[in-house]
Amino acid sequence: VFFMFYFSGHGDTLLDRSGDEVNRYDEALVGYDDYVIDDEINVLLAKYFGKSQNLMIVDACHSGTVNKMFLALDFTKAKNNTALFANEAKAIAMAPDLSECSYNNIGTIQEPYNMIYFGATGDSETAGGGSMGGVFTFWLDKIIQDAKYYGDWNTMTYRKLACRLAARLQTYKQSMMYREIGEQVKHYVNNQPFKTN
C-alpha cells in the first residue's frame, strides 16, 4: 500500500508542549480551525503507517521537522558525480548548476513507520510563495515537467528529485529538508517518485 500526504499551506511554531524540542518550539501545520502539532503527527504515523510505503510532502513555513524527525541530509556539490541524469548533456544545458549533487550525511532514521519526507524549509525558516502558490510546489511541478520533456523522468528517484529541488530552493534562501525514515524505505527510495512497486 502506498500513501502520500501533501500539504501546501501555512506552517508555524508554538512553544514546546512536551519538553522534547531542542529549540523549545513545536512545529505545526495551520489547519482550518486549529494547529496540527508535530507530536500529534508523529503519533499518527507510528500508529497507522507501519506497514505502508509513505511519502510526506510539506510546502509550508517551519516544515523541517513537522514530522518530528531531527536529522536531515546535507545537500552539497560533489565533483565527478555524473550519474545524476540519464541524459547528462540535455540536463546540463537545461540547468548547469544542478549537474553535480550528492549527500554528505545519509542514513536511515529508525522509526516504527516507513516514510520519505520532503519539507520546504528548515524549522526556523519561512517558505516563499506568491499568487502562483508556494515556491516549493512551483519548482516540484517544473522539475517533474522538465524531466519528462528531456526524457529523464523514467530514471528519476526520490534522491535525484530532492537534489534538484534543494538546488532550486537555495536561490530563495530555503533549506529544503529530505529524509528517509524506517528500515523498509530502502525498498522504494529508488523507485520513480509517486510510483508504487
Side-chain angles (χ1 to χ4, degrees), residues 121-168:
T121 69
D123 283 343
S124 61
E125 299 174 359
T126 56
S131 61
M132 299 294 288
V135 168
F136 175 95
T137 298
F138 170 83
W139 278 109
L140 175 63
D141 179 60
K142 177 141 180 48
I143 289 167
I144 291 169
Q145 297 308 317
D146 286 350
K148 288 178 179 178
Y149 179 80
Y150 286 101
D152 64 337
W153 179 247
N154 290 335
T155 60
M156 183 70 72
T157 65
Y158 287 104
R159 288 181 186 175
K160 289 179 184 179
L161 181 60
C163 189
R164 293 188 192 184
L165 269 168
R168 288 301 186 196

Side-chain angles (χ1 to χ4, degrees), residues 50-71:
K51 296 184 179 178
S52 53
Q53 295 181 353
N54 306 297
L55 172 63
M56 185 174 184
I57 301 173
V58 180
D59 183 2
C61 297
H62 314 292
S63 55
T65 61
V66 79
N67 68 318
K68 203 58 184 173
M69 299 299 97
F70 301 101
L71 301 174

Side-chain angles (χ1 to χ4, degrees), residues 27 38 42 45 64-72 109-111 113 115 117 123 179 181:
E27 287 66 45
D38 55 5
N42 194 50
L45 289 169
T65 61
V66 79
N67 68 318
K68 203 58 184 173
M69 299 299 97
F70 301 101
L71 301 174
I109 300 167
Q110 299 307 313
E111 282 294 326
Y113 55 88
M115 185 169 69
Y117 179 79
D123 283 343
R179 296 183 187 86
I181 302 163

Side-chain angles (χ1 to χ4, degrees), residues 61-104:
C61 297
H62 314 292
S63 55
T65 61
V66 79
N67 68 318
K68 203 58 184 173
M69 299 299 97
F70 301 101
L71 301 174
L73 295 185
D74 179 14
F75 292 93
T76 58
K77 295 277 185 179
K79 293 185 177 181
N80 303 320
N81 183 351
T82 58
L84 185 60
F85 299 106
N87 190 333
E88 195 73 6
K90 286 183 182 177
I92 291 172
M94 174 184 75
D97 57 319
L98 306 184
S99 62
E100 296 179 347
C101 180
S102 71
Y103 314 94
N104 270 352

Side-chain angles (χ1 to χ4, degrees), residues 38-54:
D38 55 5
D39 296 303
E40 298 166 335
I41 293 170
N42 194 50
V43 167
L44 291 172
L45 289 169
K47 185 173 183 179
Y48 296 109
F49 297 95
K51 296 184 179 178
S52 53
Q53 295 181 353
N54 306 297

